Amino acid sequence: MIIVHAKGNSQLGIGNLSRSYELIKYLSITKDVIGIFECDENIFKRYNVNNIYRVDNLNQSLELITKYKSFIYISDLVSPQKELSSIIRENGAKQILHFNEINSGFEPDILFVTDGFDYEFFDNRFKIYRGFEYYIVGNEVIKNRKKSLESIKSMKNILICFGGADPAFFTEYFAKKINDSKYNYKIVLGPAMPKNRKENILTIKKENI
């Protein structure tokens, strides 16, 4: 049994959920897998498949996890605590794998660092797999991605998108900062962005947005 555990909302973003969703779909072809997603019902509509369960909080997640006594646990949580890894291990996890950072003390057996930034990172408590080759990309992206890139001599249109929720508020920042007439801008408002934020962004009126 493999358990994939992720959390997403308008403050955290939903990239973790989307990544875990793709991982669950892939592993389910040959493995016994369940997903546990901590998110609201509206967000969960994007990921509603038979072997993924929606919960409201960590306690409900643990109620599901403790039903299993021998499993591989994959975490895509943001800033999980050391206590969580201890509970998971005590309840029968054979291996604990984790995406994201571990600044809050979480102790996996394997850590995946999937960015391409050249900073020093070492911890002898667990194995580290690092690099873009471990970055999970959705099948739809792979299927529609161009096989080769064409050289663009001139550019008129620019697409701006900061994911499903943009918890860092980059969308508002760029929408306000755009003050040129050289390009046409199309800004995508993600599905997990709160309604009031979308309404506020739509009040920014510029001819080329």
Side-chain angles (χ1 to χ4, degrees):
M1 169 61 69
I2 299 173
I3 299 174
V4 181
H5 185 191
K7 179 178 180 177
N9 53 45
S10 59
Q11 288 75 46
L12 296 173
I14 60 173
N16 297 3
L17 297 175
S18 296
R19 173 167 58 189
S20 295
Y21 175 67
E22 294 297 334
L23 180 61
I24 290 166
K25 286 198 299 182
Y26 176 78
L27 292 174
S28 295
I29 297 170
T30 58
K31 308 293 183 184
D32 189 12
V33 185
I34 66 164
I36 301 173
F37 284 8
E38 295 179 26
C39 63
D40 65 38
E41 292 181 358
N42 186 52
I43 290 175
F44 190 65
K45 291 176 183 177
R46 301 173 58 85
Y47 313 110
N48 193 358
V49 295
N50 291 335
N51 59 336
I52 301 180
Y53 301 92
R54 189 197 73 81
V55 298
D56 291 314
N57 52 55
L58 181 58
N59 286 337
Q60 291 180 0
S61 296
L62 290 173
E63 286 179 12
L64 282 173
I65 292 169
T66 53
K67 292 180 180 179
Y68 300 92
K69 298 304 177 187
S70 181
F71 55 89
I72 294 172
Y73 175 81
I74 302 175
S75 161
D76 204 337
L77 301 172
V78 176
S79 301
Q81 305 292 315
K82 180 179 179 180
E83 181 184 8
L84 177 59
S85 53
S86 299
I87 292 172
I88 297 298
R89 195 165 273 115
E90 289 169 4
N91 277 277
K94 295 184 290 185
Q95 289 278 302
I96 296 177
L97 289 65
H98 180 61
F99 292 89
N100 284 311
E101 44 72 32
I102 49 168
N103 295 332
S104 298
F106 191 75
E107 294 185 346
D109 299 296
I110 298 173
L111 176 69
F112 293 95
V113 181
T114 59
D115 62 48
F117 299 112
D118 187 23
Y119 58 88
E120 185 175 346
F121 187 92
F122 176 78
D123 196 313
N124 59 11
R125 292 175 299 167
F126 40 77
K127 294 180 181 178
I128 300 172
Y129 293 90
R130 184 175 184 177
F132 279 139
E133 61 264 39
Y134 302 108
Y135 193 88
I136 297 172
V137 179
N139 282 332
E140 288 299 311
V141 174
I142 295 173
K143 184 171 65 177
N144 294 290
R145 185 166 52 189
K146 289 185 176 181
K147 302 300 180 184
S148 60
L149 298 178
E150 301 174 3
S151 177
I152 300 176
K153 295 180 181 179
S154 64
M155 182 172 58
K156 186 65 178 175
N157 301 310
I158 296 176
L159 177 70
I160 297 175
C161 178
F162 293 102
D166 181 21
F169 288 77
F170 287 135
T171 305
E172 289 91 331
Y173 175 82
F174 279 95
K176 292 174 182 177
K177 284 292 184 180
I178 291 171
N179 60 4
D180 67 271
S181 58
K182 185 178 179 181
Y183 304 107
N184 296 316
Y185 297 89
K186 181 172 288 187
I187 299 177
V188 177
L189 306 182
M193 185 179 287
K195 182 180 178 182
N196 65 315
R197 280 187 63 194
K198 291 181 178 179
E199 291 173 347
N200 288 335
I201 294 169
L202 290 172
T203 64
I204 303 172
K205 303 294 185 182
K206 298 182 181 181
E207 290 185 0
N208 58 337
I209 296 180

